[in-house]
């Protein structure tokens, strides 16, 4: 089998996605997702100018060599743009392989370790009362694990909460990023009360999670982890900025609250200290932003040696194509923790008709060959890409801060 063509589509069925198709001489077409929220055009040109030309004529079954050609073969390695571009191609190649063999993708990844994958959803409220209403709705839908985020008294806006509508999308359309503002002490003083209320109302049967979005120092994170210990979180996510792995050491020594990090990581070199020193419980790297299925399977195996579980990033900026790749990997590996699942709007599902289905707190892969996702090009072309950015964030005195 030979690769004959590779195509990119930028589309916006409710939000921006970068979708690729890899064509072969046997008529099998593989789909890949290169969406990198707010940086889609950089991935677009990396793919088109630098990767696609080297793909033509290659055997799509040679995923190991093709991956190394793009990763090891490049002098300028790593980084989210590079790794997302490589990831889009790698996902599409695995889709081709599984489709050509007529099997669902997980069958090529070691087969099924479980029939269904535990997922967590989001409950986000403008304030504690609203957040509790959202938790109740999600519990009603059968979710066993729920991430709770809430507006913080005295703060204008915060990641994870939608001011206008129910579904949350952090990227805002426009030519420039919007600005948000942040106050760490208001946040730290508030969060424990949110979880006390959640445990008082819902008891201890549900798993609760919380995301700090990389905004704390190690000492602040250790304090929050200790304050949250009575409420038995499933995990506390992204406490500190992701660049300095050693930062997690101090937090780990001071709290037993389980820790998760990794949605912004893109190679194993972002987390080797975290894994080998067992500084985290869950690694949140996601398939599309980490160079694809080829490296993700190796990273999961490496993490398994050190008792670290995989809890992949799966917000709606990860399209059904990439989420399906995460789901098949999650079904296959032994050390699954959980998978994030925000669900998709009708428009998104119309652009990407898929086999992924939710029931009673879990996701199922379905049995279609490959990823089990299609791309409705006609529909997608009616919804063209619109420039959008993630916000930036400042402290109340104007100092630039982490978003
Ligand atoms: C969040 C994301 O899902 C999460 O845990 O941190 O919503 C994140 O803000 C977005 O993926 C950024 O594009
Ligand atoms: Mg997060």
């Amino acid at each position: 089998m030979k690769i004959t063509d590779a195509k990119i589509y930028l589309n916006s069925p409710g939000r921006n996605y970068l979708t690729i198709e890899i064509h072969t001489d046997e008529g099998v077409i593989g789909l890949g997702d290169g969406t990198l929220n707010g940086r889609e055009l950089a991935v677009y040109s990396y793919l088109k100018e630098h990767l696609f030309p080297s793909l033509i004529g290659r055997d799509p079954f040679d995923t190991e060599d093709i991956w190394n050609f793009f990763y090891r073969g490049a002098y300028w390695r790593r980084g989210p743009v590079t790794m997302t571009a490589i990831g889009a191609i790698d996902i599409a190649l695995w889709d081709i392989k599984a489709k050509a063999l007529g099997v669902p993708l997980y069958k090529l990844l070691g087969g099924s370790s479980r029939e269904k994958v535990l997922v967590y959803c989001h409950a986000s409220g403008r304030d504690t009362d609203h957040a509790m209403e959202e938790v109740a709705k999600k519990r009603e839908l059968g979710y066993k694990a729920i991430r709770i985020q809430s507006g913080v008294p005295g703060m204008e806006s915060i990641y994870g909460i939608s001011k206008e509508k129910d579904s949350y999308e952090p990227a805002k359309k426009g030519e420039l990023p919007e600005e948000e503002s942040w106050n760490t002490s208001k946040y730290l003083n508030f969060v424990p009360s949110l979880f006390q209320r959640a445990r008082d109302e819902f008891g201890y049967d549900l798993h609760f999670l919380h995301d700090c979005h990389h905004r704390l120092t190690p000492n602040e994170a250790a304090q929050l982890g200790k304050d949250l210990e009575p409420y038995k979180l499933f995990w506390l996510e992204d406490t500190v900025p992701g660049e300095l792995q050693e930062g997690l050491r101090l937090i780990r020594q001071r709290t037993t609250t389980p820790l998760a990090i990794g949605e912004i990581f893109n190679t194993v070199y972002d987390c080797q200290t975290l894994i080998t020193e067992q500084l985290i419980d869950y690694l949140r790297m996601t398939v599309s932003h980490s160079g694809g299925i080829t490296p993700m399977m190796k990273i999961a195996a490496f993490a398994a040696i050190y008792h670290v579980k995989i809890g992949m990033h799966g917000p709606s900026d990860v399209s059904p194509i990439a989420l399906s790749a995460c789901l098949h990997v999650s079904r296959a590996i032994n050390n699954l923790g959980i998978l994030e699942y925000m669900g998709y709007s009708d428009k998104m599902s119309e652009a990407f008709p898929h086999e992924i289905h939710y029931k009673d707190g879990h996701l199922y892969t379905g049995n279609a060959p490959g990823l089990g996702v299609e791309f409705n090009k006609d529909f997608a072309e009616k919804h063209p890409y619109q420039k959008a950015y993630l916000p930036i964030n400042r402290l109340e005195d104007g100092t630039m801060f982490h978003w």
Side-chain angles (χ1 to χ4, degrees), residues 204 222 224-233 254-257:
Y204 281 78
L224 181 62
K226 282 172 76 166
D227 290 348
L228 291 172
E229 278 172 19
Y231 314 118
K232 301 268 183 274
L233 259 56
R254 297 196 193 166
T255 178
T256 53
T257 292

Side-chain angles (χ1 to χ4, degrees), residues 106 109 111-114 116-119 287 296-297 310-312 323-340 365:
Y106 70 85
L109 306 177
S112 183
S113 286
R114 57 193 65 76
K116 55 186 184 179
V117 169
L118 178 68
V119 291
V287 171
M296 196 67 218
M297 289 300 290
I310 304 298
M312 285 184 230
L323 190 81
S324 179
C326 293
L327 180 60
H328 282 265
V329 171
S330 296
R331 180 165 181 180
I333 58 174
N334 172 265
N335 55 326
L336 171 71
I338 198 164
L339 174 63
E340 180 179 12
T365 57

Side-chain angles (χ1 to χ4, degrees), residues 120 147 211 213-214 237-238 263 284 313 340:
Y120 73 90
R147 180 187 100 156
D211 188 349
H213 230 259
H214 306 282
E237 174 178 332
D238 290 347
E263 63 184 48
R284 288 199 26 76
H313 190 214
E340 180 179 12

Side-chain angles (χ1 to χ4, degrees), residues 8-19 34-44 171-175 379-390:
I8 315 189
Y9 304 88
L10 284 166
N11 54 91
S12 194
R15 65 157 347 281
N16 286 329
Y17 290 117
L18 186 159
T19 309
T35 309
L36 185 63
N37 213 356
R39 291 290 185 272
E40 293 83 5
L41 299 180
V43 179
Y44 181 94
K172 300 280 175 298
K173 287 182 189 114
E175 286 302 310
F379 183 78
E381 270 163 11
K382 285 188 203 127
H383 298 89
Y385 171 82
Q386 291 172 286
K387 195 158 193 179
Y389 275 105
L390 290 174

Side-chain angles (χ1 to χ4, degrees), residues 142-189:
Y143 284 99
K144 316 287 177 231
I146 303 172
R147 180 187 100 156
I148 312 179
Q149 306 293 136
S150 166
V152 174
M155 267 167 56
E156 255 294 282
S157 59
I158 186 169
Y159 62 91
I161 314 295
S162 172
K163 276 199 267 182
E164 318 87 47
K165 39 182 188 155
D166 279 348
S167 67
Y168 169 68
E169 170 49 59
K172 300 280 175 298
K173 287 182 189 114
E175 286 302 310
L176 292 172
E178 280 187 5
E179 299 201 4
E180 292 181 352
S181 127
W182 175 256
N183 181 315
T184 302
S185 22
K186 286 178 185 163
Y187 171 78
L188 288 177
N189 289 335

